[in-house]
Amino acid sequence: AQSVTQLGSHVSVSEGALVLLRCNYSSSVPPYLFWYVQYPNQGLQLLLKYTSAATLVKGINGFEAEFKKSETSFHLTKPSAHMSDAAEYFCAVSELRDDKIIFGKGTRLHILP
Amino acid sequence: DSGVTQTPKHLITATGQRVTLRCSPRSGDLSVYWYQQSLDQGLQFLIQYYNGEERAKGNILERFSAQQFPDLHSELNLSSLELGDSALYFCASSVERGGGNYNEQFFGPGTRLTVL
């Protein structure tokens, strides 16, 4: 069965510092992996996705993530945090043979001035 | 704007009542998915319809049901509402049924349901 574990329900970084949000997945077959962002009182927006092409995936707003099969990880990074990055971030997985997306519990990112 | 619309935006009702949430997919999308976001359970998949037929079921309660109409819009019906049903309900749509190729799901803005 697929599952996603996000380490840290809250992460705080200073403006301009590196953002690192951790995600580990479990899947019996090659997965599709996603990061979604949810700004306060808004819906879900796809940041980036891995669908078995390049292992380093670049997304919107300067975010990127690297698929590491040996570590079953898909951590999200951004070199320099901006105040506008404050939001909740969800790592998610789905499988080739299935359509439903399984979400992690989410990590709320706080940006300190 | 994802192109997926959901109505109403907010819904406040009482325990024991029944409500209907509506979703219009992006033009041309045949698959509709429903997700529930609650404080207790997080974001979880409820059910998927493809071109009018139920395709996959997740953690959907028996008190909940859904359907997809010939014009491809979908409705999620929630009955005998309990306090714990208070949540944000998202609809998403994609072009095809998946199960072999990646089909991106586009999410609507959600309907916030409050059960008092």
Side-chain angles (χ1 to χ4, degrees):
Chain A
Q2 312 158 67
S3 67
V4 172
T5 302
Q6 291 184 241
L7 298 177
S9 57
H10 292 266
V11 170
S12 295
V13 301
S14 298
E15 192 174 17
L18 171 72
V19 175
L20 171 60
L21 304 183
R22 298 178 188 274
C23 171
N24 288 90
Y25 70 91
S26 170
S27 177
S28 57
V29 298
Y32 295 142
L33 293 161
F34 314 88
W35 276 98
Y36 285 86
V37 61
Q38 185 178 29
Y39 296 101
N41 300 314
Q42 293 190 27
L44 292 167
Q45 183 180 7
L46 182 65
L47 267 181
L48 51 79
K49 59 183 182 286
Y50 167 77
T51 57
S52 74
T55 56
L56 182 62
V57 181
K58 294 188 184 298
I60 61 171
N61 301 338
F63 285 94
E64 62 181 38
E66 186 171 8
F67 171 67
K68 291 188 177 180
K69 186 178 178 181
S70 60
E71 299 177 8
T72 61
S73 69
F74 191 58
H75 302 330
L76 181 70
T77 60
K78 181 174 179 178
S80 177
H82 193 271
M83 295 300 290
S84 61
D85 295 327
E88 186 144 23
Y89 292 79
F90 294 91
C91 182
V93 64
S94 71
E95 293 181 352
L96 183 67
R97 62 183 180 210
D98 204 344
D99 289 334
K100 63 180 183 284
I101 297 176
I102 305 299
F103 289 90
K105 295 287 187 186
T107 298
R108 186 165 296 276
L109 177 63
H110 305 271
I111 309 297
L112 307 173
Chain B
D1 185 352
S2 66
V4 178
T5 60
Q6 291 187 249
T7 57
K9 198 169 183 179
H10 299 277
L11 196 49
I12 301 175
T13 188
T15 54
Q17 295 298 304
R18 172 190 168 96
V19 297
T20 297
L21 313 184
R22 182 187 169 104
C23 168
S24 293
R26 295 187 321 154
S27 176
D29 284 0
L30 298 177
S31 265
V32 170
Y33 310 76
W34 286 97
Y35 293 84
Q36 178 196 59
Q37 184 179 28
S38 66
L39 287 176
D40 293 341
Q41 302 293 329
L43 253 171
Q44 58 177 355
F45 167 76
L46 295 179
I47 197 165
Q48 178 201 358
Y49 276 81
Y50 172 75
N51 204 19
E53 295 187 2
E54 184 182 303
R55 166 82 170 90
K57 238 177 181 177
N59 298 325
I60 187 166
L61 300 172
E62 284 192 14
R63 300 183 285 110
F64 296 1
S65 65
Q67 53 184 326
Q68 187 179 25
F69 294 86
D71 67 352
L72 300 176
H73 91 271
S74 178
E75 293 181 355
L76 179 67
N77 300 296
L78 315 176
S79 61
S80 303
L81 285 168
E82 301 175 0
L83 296 177
D85 297 327
S86 295
L88 192 52
Y89 291 84
F90 286 109
C91 167
S93 74
S94 69
V95 173
E96 294 184 9
R97 62 181 294 171
N101 298 300
Y102 169 67
N103 292 288
E104 182 170 343
Q105 293 183 28
F106 295 86
F107 283 78
T111 292
R112 184 169 295 282
L113 173 66
T114 302
V115 182
L116 300 175

